[in-house]
Amino acid sequence: MDMNIGFIGLGVMGQPMAQHLIEAGHEVFLHRVKDTSQHLVEKGGIPTGTPAEVAKAAQVIILMLPDTPDVEAVLFGPEGVAEGLTSGKTVVDMSSISPVATKDFANRIVEQGCAYLDAPVSGGEAGARAGTLSIMVGGTSEVFDQVLPIFRHMGKNINLVGGVGDGQTAKIANQIIVALTIEAVAEGLLFASRAGADPAKVRDALMGGFASSKILELHGERMINRTFDPGFRISLHQKDINNALSTARSFRMSLPSTALCQELFNSCAAQGHGELDHSALVKALETMASHEIGTGRE
C-alpha cells in the first residue's frame, strides 16, 4: 500500500534510503534538499521547507540524522516535527543516538497522540544503496507491523528488539562489538607482521579457525592492502562509542575495552585519519609499534 512518508536527513545514508521509498511508489516529502540530493526531487520526491511541513504532509515521518542533538532539534526545535504532528501519525528515528534520550523523545511524541519507533541501522553506505540494511527496532509490535512494509524497502535483516530505546541499545551493542573486533584483528595482524610472517597468509589461516569473523575477512584485508576509503568513517564510530560510554556512565558501569577503542580512534583522528574507514584504527597501533602491516617497514 502506498503511503505518504516524510524523510528528514538526506546525507550519505539518507539519500539512497529515501530513493528506495520513492522508487517503491510512495509519496515522499523531503527535508532538506541540497544540490547533492536534488536527484531525489527529479525522481518524484517533494521538497519541503521545514520539518513541521513534513510532519503535516506525511503519515510516517522518518529521521536519519547525525546525533542526539540533531534529532532533538528537528523534533522539538522551532518549526520542528512536533509542531506539525496530528494524532495518529508515526515518527521513526533511524539515526544512531542515545537510548536514554530516545525514551524521552518518544514520551513527548506519544503525549501528542502519535506513535514512535527507534530503528537504527547497520550496513553502511553500501547497505543503504543496496537496500540490505540491518534494522534494529524498538517500539510496540503493533506499530512495528504497520511500518514493516516501509522498512522492507530499505533493509533485509529487520528485527523488533523490544520496547522504545531497545533498537538504539542494540545498535550501541553492535558498535561496541565491531570496534573491539577491529582492534583485535588489528593487534593480531600487526603482531604477525612484526614477527616476520606474511599477514595475508596468517589471515587466510585464521579464517578457517575459531578466530574467523566478517571483520577479519573484510577489515583484515583492508589493513593488509591499505584500502581505507570508507566504508564507515572513524568519526562516525567515535560518535557511536561516545553514546556507548556516556550511556554506560549513566548506568554507573564500566566498559574498559570500549574506552580503549575510543582512545585509539581519538589517536587516529589526531593524526588526521578521522574520515578514513574504521579499519584504519590499526594506524594508531602501528604508530605505537613503529611498524606498518604488510610493508615490513619500521
Side-chain angles (χ1 to χ4, degrees):
M1 180 179 66
D2 293 345
M3 188 181 301
N4 287 1
I5 300 171
F7 205 106
I8 302 173
L10 302 174
V12 170
M13 297 287 290
Q15 285 183 43
M17 293 166 69
Q19 183 169 327
H20 290 310
L21 298 176
I22 294 168
E23 291 175 345
H26 294 288
E27 194 167 28
V28 181
F29 296 87
L30 306 168
H31 181 78
R32 308 164 38 200
V33 176
K34 301 180 182 178
D35 289 344
T36 54
S37 50
Q38 187 63 38
H39 64 282
L40 296 175
V41 177
E42 295 167 0
K43 289 180 177 293
I46 303 166
T48 61
T50 67
E53 289 179 27
V54 174
K56 289 175 184 176
Q59 185 65 26
V60 175
I61 301 95
I62 296 173
L63 312 183
M64 189 63 182
L65 299 165
D67 206 349
T68 308
D70 306 288
V71 172
E72 184 169 24
V74 164
L75 287 177
F76 305 111
E79 299 183 298
V81 167
E83 291 186 13
L85 289 175
T86 51
S87 181
K89 296 192 173 188
T90 300
V91 174
V92 181
D93 182 23
M94 303 189 75
S95 321
S96 294
I97 68 167
S98 162
V100 176
T102 290
K103 292 177 183 180
D104 174 60
F105 299 164
N107 287 337
R108 293 160 72 179
I109 295 298
V110 169
E111 286 175 358
Q112 292 188 235
C114 296
Y116 194 100
L117 296 176
D118 55 298
V121 304
S122 179
E125 182 181 354
R129 292 191 179 280
T132 58
L133 293 167
S134 293
I135 306 176
M136 296 155 265
V137 187
T140 68
S141 58
E142 179 184 2
V143 178
F144 173 77
D145 289 342
Q146 292 169 359
V147 180
L148 183 57
I150 295 174
F151 288 146
R152 284 179 173 150
H153 296 309
M154 299 179 285
K156 296 297 183 188
N157 183 30
I158 305 163
N159 290 282
L160 178 62
V161 179
V164 167
D166 288 350
Q168 298 294 351
T169 297
K171 176 60 186 288
I172 286 177
N174 180 84
Q175 297 303 79
I176 290 171
I177 292 168
V178 169
L180 268 62
T181 308
I182 289 174
E183 200 277 339
V185 168
E187 282 198 20
L189 294 181
L190 181 60
F191 170 80
S193 178
R194 180 63 182 83
D198 181 340
K201 290 182 178 178
V202 170
R203 172 185 160 278
D204 289 344
L206 297 181
M207 282 301 298
F210 205 49
S212 176
S213 71
K214 201 74 173 175
I215 288 172
L216 177 62
E217 178 187 0
L218 300 178
H219 287 16
E221 186 175 46
R222 282 178 172 268
M223 294 172 194
I224 293 164
N225 294 338
R226 321 307 291 173
T227 51
F228 295 128
D229 294 339
F232 187 77
R233 291 173 175 81
I234 283 173
S235 60
L236 290 175
H237 210 144
Q238 283 181 290
K239 180 264 293 186
D240 291 337
I241 296 301
N242 182 61
N243 280 331
L245 296 173
S246 61
T247 303
R249 186 166 59 248
S250 74
F251 298 154
R252 297 185 178 180
M253 69 174 291
S254 175
L255 297 175
S257 296
T258 305
L260 170 62
C261 285
Q262 185 73 313
E263 290 303 322
L264 294 171
F265 282 141
N266 291 345
S267 175
C268 289
Q271 297 172 53
H273 304 318
E275 297 310 298
L276 296 182
D277 185 79
H278 53 174
S279 59
L281 176 147
V282 70
K283 285 179 171 286
L285 296 169
E286 289 172 337
T287 298
M288 289 189 282
S290 189
H291 180 88
E292 187 175 288
I293 288 177
T295 66
R297 188 173 69 231
E298 295 183 29

